[in-house]
């Protein structure tokens, strides 16, 4: 088999799997700290029990994420040796800083988990704060390296050799800030809606369980509060792509021809033979406005670029439509959450809303994965945009297919074990003193107000 294809498959599989754990590693500490803070504020043991259980889930996810992340770090050198050999000195700093952030998170995770019922409650809460901050830092440093791949900076190429390296300039390129914000908000959305979906499934059969009602509502608020700024971050990201990677923007929008006053396309299927996007709904001038803030701005089309430099437009366009479409629906669910809070409704009291919350879990994961497809596939055929092609960076050693099969086996074992342990945690008895409430809607709404 072609070594480039194998390397791409393995990187896509491992990154696509690990990114879910990474999102939960960023978002779950915020959820468990929020629940513990509510227990300190209200002196309600149910919030403390919820925070305690979430901390156990976090410990399991953190351990599995550490293994899957380690596999990814080794893959960079094994699958893409020329890339790391050439640009390791340029992007090495964010990976080093990510290592420090990871160890800091691991240290405080140990203190936090061991400190239950041993440390004073407020001190215990503060030991969890570095976990949340380290998770944010760790994700930010890794995303910084990916942002550099989209807009390489901080070095000079002389006769194929990297010189004049400036690691700080490489870390602070034009795409770094927006990608970090976009990814962190995505992590909070994934965590919030995924956790809310789990408890919505419980409430489908046990609608009066106060424990699950509170857990779902708190998680739903996390997803809601992240969804609206995510829309603004998406707009920022599109403007940044238009400035730094116009060919990616053209692929995202299925824009084949360079056009003044370009329309925004909703849906559609790009036809690479006729060089047109069919079956779409066009909003006149909207793409020029969104990308450049000017209804008469010119948007470059794919035909302005050599065919060999164009990404696979069908994949990029469809993935972009999935991301934006699902993101919009999740924002609508967030809008309903705000309305329900204002009207003092509870989602568990409406079966249709419960179904929407259950669907929001896989939907937010799919939207996040689609976003990464846009980022990575939209940069092709480059591993570092306009600097090194992916095919030139790939390993040519024989036997990569066996490495891929071994990686599949390891990840399947990891996720099977993760699923079993999380199921065992989920079936642990809920504290009986607060299992049911005579008026659960009033109790759980008032505790969050």
């Amino acid at each position: 088999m072609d070594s480039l294809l194998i390397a791409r498959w393995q990187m896509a599989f491992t990154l696509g799997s690990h990114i879910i754990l990474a999102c939960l590693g960023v978002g779950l500490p915020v959820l468990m700290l929020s629940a513990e803070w509510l227990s300190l504020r209200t002196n309600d043991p149910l919030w403390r029990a919820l925070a305690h259980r979430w901390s156990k889930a976090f410990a399991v996810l953190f351990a599995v994420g550490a293994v899957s992340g380690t596999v990814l770090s080794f893959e960079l050198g094994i699958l893409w040796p020329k890339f790391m050999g050439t640009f390791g000195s340029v992007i090495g700093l964010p990976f080093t800083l990510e290592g420090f952030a990871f160890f800091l998170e691991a240290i405080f995770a140990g203190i936090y988990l061991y400190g239950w019922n041993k440390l004073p409650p407020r001190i215990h809460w503060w030991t969890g704060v570095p976990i949340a901050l380290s998770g944010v830092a760790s994700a930010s440093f890794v995303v910084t390296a990916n942002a550099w791949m989209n807009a390489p900076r901080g070095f000079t190429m002389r006769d194929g050799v990297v010189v004049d390296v400036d690691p700080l300039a490489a870390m602070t390129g034009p795409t770094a800030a927006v990608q970090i914000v976009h990814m962190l908000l995505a992590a909070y959305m994934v965590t919030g809606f995924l956790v809310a979906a789990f408890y919505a499934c419980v409430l489908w059969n046990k609608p009066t369980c106060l424990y699950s009602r509170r857990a779902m509502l708190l998680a739903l608020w996390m997803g809601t509060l992240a969804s609206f700024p995510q829309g603004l971050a998406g707009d920022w990201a599109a403007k940044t792509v238009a400035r730094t990677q116009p060919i990616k923007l053209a692929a995202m929008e299925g824009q084949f021809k360079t056009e003044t006053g370009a329309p925004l396309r909703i849906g559609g299927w790009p036809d690479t033979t006729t060089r047109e996007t069919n079956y779409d709904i066009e909003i006149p001038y909207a793409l020029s406005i969104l990308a450049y803030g000017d209804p008469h701005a010119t948007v470059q089309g794919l035909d302005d670029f050599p065919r060999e430099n164009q990404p696979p437009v069908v994949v990029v366009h469809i993935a972009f439509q999935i991301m934006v479409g699902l993101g919009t629906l999740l924002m609508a669910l967030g809008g309903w959450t705000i309305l329900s809070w204002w009207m003092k409704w509870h989602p568990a009291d409406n079966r249709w809303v419960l179904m929407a919350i259950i669907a929001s879990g896989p939907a937010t994961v799919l939207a996040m994965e689609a976003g990464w497809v846009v980022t990575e596939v939209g940069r092709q055929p480059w591993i570092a945009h306009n600097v090194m092609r992916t095919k030139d960076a790939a390993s040519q050693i024989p036997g990569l297919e066996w490495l891929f099969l071994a990686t599949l086996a390891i990840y399947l074992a990891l996720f099977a074990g993760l699923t079993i342990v999380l199921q065992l945690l989920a079936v642990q008895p809920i504290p009986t003193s607060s299992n049911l409430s005579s008026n659960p809607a009033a109790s759980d709404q008032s505790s969050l107000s």
Side-chain angles (χ1 to χ4, degrees):
M1 294 182 66
D2 178 48
S3 59
L4 174 60
L5 183 61
I6 296 172
R8 279 176 160 158
W9 280 356
Q10 178 160 339
M11 202 71 192
F13 171 74
T14 51
L15 179 59
S17 303
H18 175 73
I19 196 64
I20 301 172
L21 301 175
C23 286
L24 292 170
V26 171
L28 199 54
V30 177
L31 264 186
M32 68 187 188
L33 286 175
S34 299
E36 188 175 6
W37 178 79
L38 286 168
S39 77
L40 295 173
R41 197 191 76 163
T42 63
N43 201 31
D44 189 333
L46 188 57
W47 284 119
R48 181 175 173 84
L50 184 58
H52 195 185
R53 181 167 295 190
W54 278 346
S55 70
K56 294 179 180 179
F58 167 75
V60 177
L61 291 165
F62 182 80
V64 176
V67 177
S68 63
T70 301
V71 172
L72 271 172
S73 65
F74 282 112
E75 280 182 350
L76 286 173
I78 295 173
L79 301 179
W80 316 104
K82 187 175 179 181
F83 171 70
M84 293 304 296
T86 303
F87 297 110
S89 60
V90 183
I91 60 173
L93 181 59
F95 286 118
T96 301
L97 294 174
E98 191 274 336
F100 282 111
F102 170 79
F103 285 119
L104 182 66
E105 184 178 9
I107 291 169
F108 278 95
I111 296 172
Y112 184 84
L113 294 168
Y114 181 76
W116 283 104
N117 303 319
K118 295 179 177 66
L119 296 173
R122 294 190 180 276
I123 293 178
H124 180 262
W125 185 86
W126 278 107
T127 63
V129 173
I131 301 175
L133 295 178
S134 298
V136 168
S138 182
S140 299
F141 290 134
V142 171
V143 172
T144 295
N146 181 266
W148 177 89
M149 297 165 71
N150 290 318
R153 299 288 191 280
F155 68 99
T156 302
M157 290 290 289
R158 291 179 186 165
D159 300 324
V161 179
V162 171
V163 297
D164 300 330
V165 174
D166 185 346
L168 290 180
M171 287 183 62
T172 55
T175 58
V178 64
Q179 281 197 224
I180 289 171
V181 172
H182 205 32
M183 186 62 237
L184 291 177
L185 290 171
Y188 294 131
M189 286 182 67
V190 167
T191 302
F193 288 118
L194 202 57
V195 173
F198 170 79
Y199 287 102
C201 291
V202 176
L203 289 168
W204 187 264
N205 296 314
K206 299 178 181 179
T208 60
C209 176
L210 181 57
Y211 178 91
S212 298
R213 289 170 74 96
R214 286 190 180 178
M216 185 186 76
L217 197 58
L218 183 59
L220 191 59
W221 271 110
M222 169 181 272
T224 294
L225 294 176
S227 65
F228 290 99
Q230 183 69 297
L232 299 175
D235 178 70
W236 180 16
K239 287 179 169 59
T240 303
V241 169
R243 187 176 69 254
T244 60
Q245 296 174 283
I247 189 172
K248 180 186 285 188
L249 178 69
M252 288 161 54
E253 295 293 344
Q255 184 77 29
F256 287 99
K257 307 296 182 184
T258 296
E259 193 171 353
T260 299
L264 181 70
R265 293 175 175 85
I266 300 175
W269 188 273
D271 189 329
T272 55
T273 302
T274 62
R275 311 300 286 176
E276 293 179 351
T277 298
N278 303 315
Y279 317 114
D280 60 321
I281 300 172
E282 294 188 356
I283 303 175
Y285 303 103
L287 180 56
S288 292
I289 294 172
L290 290 175
Y292 299 103
D294 179 359
H296 302 293
T298 299
V299 177
Q300 282 186 283
L302 287 167
D303 290 345
D304 270 11
F305 303 91
R307 289 287 183 97
E308 64 271 17
N309 290 346
Q310 295 179 16
V313 59
V314 175
V315 175
V316 177
H317 178 73
I318 298 302
F320 180 69
Q321 296 294 316
I322 291 172
M323 178 188 68
V324 174
L326 291 177
T328 302
L329 292 175
L330 292 168
M331 287 178 63
L333 179 58
W336 188 95
T337 302
I338 295 173
L339 176 64
S340 66
W341 169 77
W342 180 262
M343 300 297 293
K344 299 188 183 304
W345 300 331
H346 194 283
D349 300 326
N350 187 314
R351 304 286 275 186
W352 290 101
V353 175
L354 270 183
M355 282 194 289
I357 296 172
I358 291 170
S360 74
T364 191
V365 173
L366 180 57
M368 182 267 299
E369 297 281 10
W372 274 105
V373 170
V374 173
T375 299
E376 295 302 297
V377 180
R379 191 181 60 245
Q380 299 307 309
W382 308 97
I383 192 169
H385 186 59
N386 286 338
V387 175
M388 178 180 285
R389 293 183 181 272
T390 306
K391 66 178 183 180
D392 296 330
S395 173
Q396 299 300 321
I397 62 174
L400 282 181
E401 60 271 22
W402 296 108
L403 175 63
F404 182 38
L405 292 174
T407 304
L408 281 174
I410 292 171
Y411 270 62
L412 288 174
L414 276 175
F415 279 87
L418 174 64
T419 302
I420 292 171
V421 173
L422 290 179
Q423 284 181 334
L424 291 174
L425 286 175
V427 298
Q428 288 182 356
I430 296 170
T432 55
S433 61
S434 304
N435 197 13
L436 293 174
S437 169
S438 59
N439 188 4
S443 178
D444 52 17
Q445 285 281 13
S446 63
S447 65
L448 287 174
S449 61

